[in-house]
């Protein structure tokens, strides 16, 4: 019997990159019992809801999901899919690695992991307009909530991740020089927790300086931990350092479960053409295998994927080749 995992194929290019990923995992011998569920437009078509209860119930049972990109329907009455998933499963850690696969680009030898706090900060949704005189929207106020408990668990997650993955340094990114209370609390907690981890170097950088440093000398960093808004922005920045979204996986991890996904969206411009690059979802599946303590299989898949990309013979168009999704997937499988 394999490990039960909820599979949400997603919309647009989702079904094609999901089936490629499932084929690679099967070829590598991963023992997984997929529980196929629907969300996004596929959820609306099947159950009239972009995040159907059946899908949430499945993840509650399996506590593990691999998710293709989803199209959130525009319009009132639909719940935001990501917010619903984060809230239901308290997915507090968003983990985004960025690692150079093909040398010779603008940057070489990048190997970073960004750990973003996923539930607090400016994204708690406490916002309102303030009426002044006859203008009902004369001002707007958004509240950032940072808690000691929330900061402790995300900073600890970053240090534990560093220990588990043989990494040497954790950099905490903040803006405590200006936001003395909220960011100050995050920084204070980070400094305290850092003392518990003797073998891991700790440093702290102000977010604006970090934006510059990541462009000038990204090799200086290893694991980065930061609050929600800064993490949202810097995680896209680091995907750009290693060739963009086609190769960027992400994990959302919490006490209630973990959801692994590609960072990119449904790519409506190429959907149905059979040319999407499945790499980001395959790399997300590798993160899932590591989470399932099947790190050796993850390493084998990653090696096969990376050597296929480096050879540049059978790669998809976004990587400079002309292979279809299926041909690229077959080439990876042949190397396993
Ligand atoms: P997108 O990431 O779908 O596409 C941006 C560009 O990158 C497009 O030109 C696309 O063709 C290309 N691209 C993306 N993934 C690719 C792949 N695997 N292989 C080859 N090319 C790829 O971003 P978008 O166009 O802004 O968003 C489209 C839809 O996706 C929207 O409905 C959005 O809400 C949704 N979305 C979902 C998620 C998610 O579910 N995690 C994330 C981002 C966007």
């Amino acid at each position: 019997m394999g490990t039960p995992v909820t599979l949400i194929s997603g919309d647009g290019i989702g079904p094609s990159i999901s089936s490629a990923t499932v084929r690679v995992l099967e070829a590598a011998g991963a023992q997984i019992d997929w529980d196929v569920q629907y969300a996004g437009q596929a959820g609306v078509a099947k159950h009239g809801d972009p995040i159907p209860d059946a899908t949430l119930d499945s993840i509650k049972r399996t506590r593990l999901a691999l998710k293709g990109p989803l199209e959130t329907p525009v319009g009132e009455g639909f719940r935001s899919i990501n917010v619903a998933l984060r809230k239901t499963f308290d997915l507090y850690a968003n983990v985004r690695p960025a690692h150079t696969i093909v040398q010779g680009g603008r940057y070489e030898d990048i190997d970073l992991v960004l750990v973003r706090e996923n539930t607090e900060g400016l994204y708690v949704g406490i916002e309102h307009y303030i009426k002044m005189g006859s203008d009902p929207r004369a001002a707007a106020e958004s509240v950032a909530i940072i808690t000691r408990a929330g900061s402790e668990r995300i900073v600890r997650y970053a240090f534990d991740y560093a220990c588990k993955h043989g990494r040497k340094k954790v950099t905490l990114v903040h803006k405590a020089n200006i936001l003395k209370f909220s960011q100050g609390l995050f920084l204070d907690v980070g400094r305290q927790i850092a003392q518990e981890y003797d073998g891991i170097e700790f440093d702290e950088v102000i977010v604006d300086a970090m934006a510059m440093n990541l462009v000038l000398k990204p090799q200086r960093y290893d694991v980065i931990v930061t609050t929600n808004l800064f993490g949202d922005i810097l995680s896209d920045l680091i995907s750009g350092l290693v060739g963009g979204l086609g190769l960027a996986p992400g994990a959302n991890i919490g006490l209630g479960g973990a959801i692994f996904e590609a960072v990119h969206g449904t790519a409506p411009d190429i959907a149905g053409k059979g040319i999407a690059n499945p790499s980001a979802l395959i790399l997300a599946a590798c993160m899932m295998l590591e989470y399932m303590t099947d790190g050796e299989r993850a390493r084998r898949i990653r090696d096969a994927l990376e050597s296929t990309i480096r050879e540049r013979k059978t790669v998809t168009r976004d990587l400079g080749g002309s292979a279809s999704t299926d041909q690229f997937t077959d080439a990876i499988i042949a190397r396993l």
Side-chain angles (χ1 to χ4, degrees), residues 13 17 67-72 82 245-246 261-270 275-278 318:
I13 60 170
I17 59 173
K67 169 171 116 34
L70 302 174
E71 189 184 331
T72 295
N82 285 329
L245 294 176
E261 62 184 343
V263 167
H264 62 70
T266 59
D269 50 336
I270 57 166
I275 57 170
N277 177 4
D318 58 306

Side-chain angles (χ1 to χ4, degrees), residues 64-105:
L64 264 183
L66 183 67
K67 169 171 116 34
L70 302 174
E71 189 184 331
T72 295
V74 181
E76 285 182 20
F78 286 114
R79 289 182 284 171
S80 156
I81 299 169
N82 285 329
V83 171
L85 290 173
R86 269 180 219 160
K87 277 202 175 144
T88 308
F89 300 104
D90 197 13
L91 303 173
Y92 67 90
N94 184 266
V95 183
R96 298 256 300 252
H99 151 69
T100 306
I101 296 182
V102 183
Q103 301 288 355

Side-chain angles (χ1 to χ4, degrees), residues 8 15 45 56 98 119 125 148 153 195 220 284 290 302 312 322:
I8 303 165
L56 294 176
T119 59
R148 180 179 298 284
R153 69 179 181 175
Q195 291 173 11
R220 197 187 297 175
E290 275 169 357
R302 222 178 252 132
R312 293 187 173 194
S322 59

Side-chain angles (χ1 to χ4, degrees), residues 307-329:
S307 58
T308 307
I309 293 176
R310 275 192 216 106
E311 195 196 38
R312 293 187 173 194
K313 227 173 77 190
T314 315
V315 292
T316 45
R317 281 178 206 189
D318 58 306
L319 298 174
S322 59
S324 67
T325 308
D326 286 346
Q327 289 164 335
F328 178 52
T329 308

